[in-house]
């Protein structure tokens, strides 16, 4: 499998980092996990497009993880040459979010249908599957398992384990360490975790910003989860605050103090093969 960090940013706007989104290539199967800011731009940077996706997995319904799901749906729709379903998997209420996106697109869809009556006569065909922990299903060549995470008060939130040809990858989404996260990570070849820097966030004396400390894994906690679960490779993303040029090794050292395996972090489009 190939894992490409499409967007390594967070809700905090950053000129060089898109919002949370990761592309997983499992043989001929391409799976997008979360759809944050600039996801379609970064998909093109990774040599992909929404029409090449076999499925979209959403970890939770925080806006930073799906703000550009609209663009994924629209670009998939306008580039499809036949009525082509887009499969979206996410926690309960994902259908409600997709319905809202489609409602916002109603004028746009009506213009396109009016403009291309002989080549475009279908509405976007979005097939939503709401998932709960313990579910397993298949997307193309990949086997997917759904895990429970703790990002309270955001509920429900899920993680995904993707298996393909004997390799396994876990995408933990947002949240703090918990037993169910350890369980789904157990023995995985790679584990992608969204992280924050507690030491740097703590410097900002803004109550609403400080609140984020109680529901995100720190870099150190992500490394500890990886160690407990016996993961081979730890992949960090969703950096709060953004990693500044030259700070990469400082971030890596914080994780390396708690995890002896390979640690990957970097800019948007950082990729690895597992
Ligand atoms: Zn979140
Ligand atoms: Zn987030």
């Amino acid at each position: 499998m190939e894992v490409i960090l499409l967007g390594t940013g967070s809700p905090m706007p950053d000129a060089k980092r898109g919002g949370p989104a990761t592309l997983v290539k499992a043989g001929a199967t391409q799976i997008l996990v979360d759809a944050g800011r600039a996801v379609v731009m970064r998909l093109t940077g990774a040599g992909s497009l929404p029409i090449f996706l076999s499925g979209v997995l959403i970890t939770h319904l925080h806006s930073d993880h799906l703000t550009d799901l609209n663009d994924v749906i629209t670009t998939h729709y306008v580039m499809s040459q036949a009525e082509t379903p887009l499969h979206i998997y996410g926690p309960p209420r994902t259908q409600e979010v997709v319905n809202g996106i489609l409602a916002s697109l109603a004028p746009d869809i009506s213009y396109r249908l009016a403009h291309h009556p002989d080549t475009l006569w279908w509405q976007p065909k979005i097939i939503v599957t709401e998932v709960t922990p313990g579910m397993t299903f298949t997307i193309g060549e990949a086997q997917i398992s759904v895990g429970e995470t703790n990002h309270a008060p955001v509920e429900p939130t899920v993680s995904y384990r993707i298996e393909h040809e004997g390799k396994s990858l876990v995408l933990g989404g947002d949240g703090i360490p918990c037993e169910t996260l350890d369980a789904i990570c157990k023995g995985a070849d790679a584990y992608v975790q969204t992280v924050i820097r507690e030491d740097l966030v703590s410097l900002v004396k803004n109550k609403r910003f400080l609140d984020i400390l109680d529901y995100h894994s720190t870099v150190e906690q992500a490394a500890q989860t990886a160690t407990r679960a016996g993961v081979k490779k730890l992949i960090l993303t969703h950096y709060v605050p953004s990693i500044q040029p030259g700070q990469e090794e400082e971030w890596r050292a914080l994780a390396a103090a708690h995890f002896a395996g390979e640690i990957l972090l970097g800019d948007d489009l950082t990729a690895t093969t597992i």
Side-chain angles (χ1 to χ4, degrees), residues 60 62 64-65 151 154 174 215-216 238:
H60 65 299
H62 252 154
D64 55 315
H65 293 253
H151 191 37
V154 185
D174 287 359
Y215 72 171
H216 284 292
H238 187 291

Side-chain angles (χ1 to χ4, degrees), residues 177-178 181-182 186 221 223-231 258-259:
C178 59
L181 180 60
D182 287 356
K186 192 159 185 54
Q221 287 173 327
Q224 290 161 355
T225 296
T227 295
R228 276 195 305 276
V231 166
H258 301 273
F259 176 66

Side-chain angles (χ1 to χ4, degrees), residues 36-167:
R37 185 183 292 137
V39 62
V40 174
M41 286 172 60
R42 292 294 186 258
L43 267 179
T44 63
S48 186
L49 287 168
I51 50 170
F52 297 152
L53 298 174
S54 299
V56 179
L57 303 176
I58 301 294
T59 60
H60 65 299
L61 303 176
H62 252 154
S63 57
D64 55 315
H65 293 253
L66 46 69
T67 192
D68 274 9
L69 186 59
N70 161 38
D71 198 8
V72 174
I73 289 171
T74 303
T75 308
H76 181 274
Y77 177 55
V78 301
M79 295 186 77
S80 295
Q81 300 301 306
E83 187 172 3
T84 309
L86 176 65
H87 294 271
I88 299 175
Y89 304 80
R93 300 192 68 184
T94 298
Q95 182 73 64
E96 176 187 338
V97 168
V98 169
N99 288 348
I101 291 171
L102 290 172
S104 76
L105 291 171
D108 175 82
I109 294 165
S110 72
Y111 307 146
R112 296 182 190 284
L113 292 172
H115 191 197
H116 313 289
D118 46 350
T119 59
L120 182 67
W121 55 85
W122 58 89
Q123 298 274 330
K125 187 171 184 174
I126 313 300
I127 299 176
V128 173
T129 303
E130 294 190 341
V131 301
T132 50
M135 277 179 66
T136 58
F137 53 95
T138 300
I139 299 178
E141 302 171 32
Q143 301 293 320
I144 318 293
S145 309
V146 183
E148 183 178 351
T149 54
N150 182 354
H151 191 37
V154 185
E155 289 176 337
T157 60
V158 297
S159 58
Y160 295 99
R161 182 170 176 128
I162 301 176
E163 316 247 1
H164 177 255
E165 292 188 345
K167 298 289 185 180

Side-chain angles (χ1 to χ4, degrees), residues 184-200:
I184 200 162
C185 285
K186 192 159 185 54
D189 292 286
Y191 157 49
V192 180
Q193 180 60 53
T194 71
V195 288
I196 64 173
R197 280 278 296 268
E198 184 172 16
D199 56 336
L200 299 180

